[in-house]
Amino acid sequence: MSTSEAAVRERLTRALQERGEEIADRWVELQMEQALLDTDIGEAELREEADALIEALVPGLQSGTPVDRVVTSSPGLHEAVVGLSLRRARAGATPTATSLAVLALKEALLKAVQRDTRDAEELFASAVFMNRLLDVAGALSFETYVEGREEIIRRQSQQLMEQSTPVVRLWRQVLAVPLIGTLDTARTQVVMENLLQAIQDHEALVAIVDITGVPTVDTAVAQHLMQTVNAVRLMGADCVISGVRPSIAQTIAQLGIDLSTILTRGTLADALAAAIKLIDGPGPDGDEGDGR
């Protein structure tokens, strides 16, 4: 580390220690003045973020780590930037606004440094150092935001899939799962997990998979259905597929998909009747049991 850089670090550290509250206030003001937030994050939360980041900057600067690695190498500073970015992501701020909010700290810091020196060279060296330091923080905040939003989207998609594939108890020991939309690999996994757990919880003997809401059935969809049926059978239950419309039956036949080992019905009502018969068997006169 050069003598000039050491002097800059000392100057910035002193400003942060002596004027931390002033820097935090100015940083919050800048974010609000520049309309860098399009969320419901309040001034109190902004101040809390500012205090955490400014407090973490001091040991980062004192560590002697090269300026380009201060943010990523200092645990407290890294955590402060990541935490700020994730909160903004959850609040719905844009990644650009989040990065600009972090970069606005430069102006607040430089104003604090100006109170200690008016020397042009010292101010220029401080500004260059702060740019290198906080540009990394801005990039980290952008990257963290994007990753955080992707995780939020994945979690919401998972929740949506779970909610869109409910398992319904239709009768004693008879469950049904109505499918709506495309049946892909991820959704098949959710369907199987929910259905198998429900079979265990309700001690079900028959599971009805209703595909009335599935627009088309191709080879991939048929394979997913077969996987579900096989998983249900491994649980010791029978499986009935309902909602096989004429167009779907024709497509399945044209594709040469063999569903001959699976009990299929055209409607959910027919499938329920077949399920009750599977459970109770025919009555003494050949009629279905009462299913009670």
Side-chain angles (χ1 to χ4, degrees), residues 43 61 67 73 138 202 222 268:
E43 185 174 350
L61 290 172
V67 60
S73 300
H202 296 284
L268 183 58

Side-chain angles (χ1 to χ4, degrees), residues 15-134:
L16 289 166
Q17 291 173 329
E18 297 177 357
R19 298 188 173 86
E21 292 188 7
E22 176 186 324
I23 294 170
D25 288 339
R26 181 54 183 159
W27 187 27
V28 171
E29 290 176 5
L30 286 170
Q31 292 180 74
M32 301 183 73
E33 288 174 2
Q34 297 174 15
L36 295 177
L37 295 171
D38 188 19
T39 68
D40 57 356
I41 296 178
E43 185 174 350
E45 187 172 353
L46 290 178
R47 179 55 191 263
E48 185 178 342
E49 291 177 347
D51 289 340
L53 189 56
I54 289 170
E55 182 180 354
L57 272 169
V58 173
L61 290 172
Q62 293 175 332
S63 66
T65 305
V67 60
D68 296 330
R69 297 205 301 270
V70 168
V71 173
T72 55
S73 300
S74 176
L77 186 53
H78 183 275
E79 182 180 346
V81 175
V82 169
L84 179 153
S85 303
L86 290 177
R87 282 190 294 273
R88 304 294 174 93
R90 297 188 188 103
T94 66
T96 300
T98 301
S99 296
L100 290 176
V102 173
L103 297 177
L105 179 56
K106 294 179 183 180
E107 182 177 335
L109 266 173
L110 188 58
K111 184 176 181 180
V113 171
Q114 285 177 326
R115 291 184 177 274
D116 291 333
T117 178
R118 291 290 180 177
D119 184 273
E121 290 187 4
E122 291 182 352
L123 289 174
F124 177 76
S126 298
V128 170
F129 185 92
M130 283 189 291
N131 281 335
R132 294 177 62 189
L133 174 70
L134 293 178

Side-chain angles (χ1 to χ4, degrees), residues 239-258:
C239 193
V240 182
I241 295 180
S242 66
V244 182
R245 306 182 298 278
S247 59
I248 288 181
Q250 184 177 3
T251 300
I252 291 175
Q254 291 174 346
L255 292 174
I257 300 171
D258 183 15

Side-chain angles (χ1 to χ4, degrees), residues 163-282:
Q163 293 173 358
S164 63
T165 53
V167 179
V168 184
R169 184 175 182 269
L170 295 181
W171 201 262
R172 177 180 56 86
Q173 297 179 309
V174 178
L175 301 175
V177 53
L179 300 179
I180 300 175
T182 303
L183 188 64
D184 56 17
T185 302
R187 195 166 180 213
T188 299
Q189 185 66 29
V190 173
V191 169
M192 282 198 291
E193 289 176 358
N194 292 348
L195 183 54
L196 297 182
Q197 185 61 50
I199 289 173
Q200 179 178 340
D201 294 343
H202 296 284
E203 299 181 349
L205 296 178
V206 181
I208 300 172
V209 179
D210 184 66
I211 61 172
T212 303
V214 177
T216 59
V217 174
D218 54 17
T219 303
V221 172
Q223 289 175 346
H224 293 317
L225 288 174
M226 289 296 296
Q227 291 174 6
T228 303
V229 171
N230 291 336
V232 169
R233 287 174 173 171
L234 287 174
M235 292 289 292
D238 289 317
C239 193
V240 182
I241 295 180
S242 66
V244 182
R245 306 182 298 278
S247 59
I248 288 181
Q250 184 177 3
T251 300
I252 291 175
Q254 291 174 346
L255 292 174
I257 300 171
D258 183 15
L259 298 181
S260 60
T261 60
I262 303 174
L263 183 60
T264 62
R265 290 293 185 269
T267 66
L268 183 58
D270 291 340
L272 177 58
I276 295 173
K277 187 172 182 179
L278 285 172
I279 293 175
D280 294 339

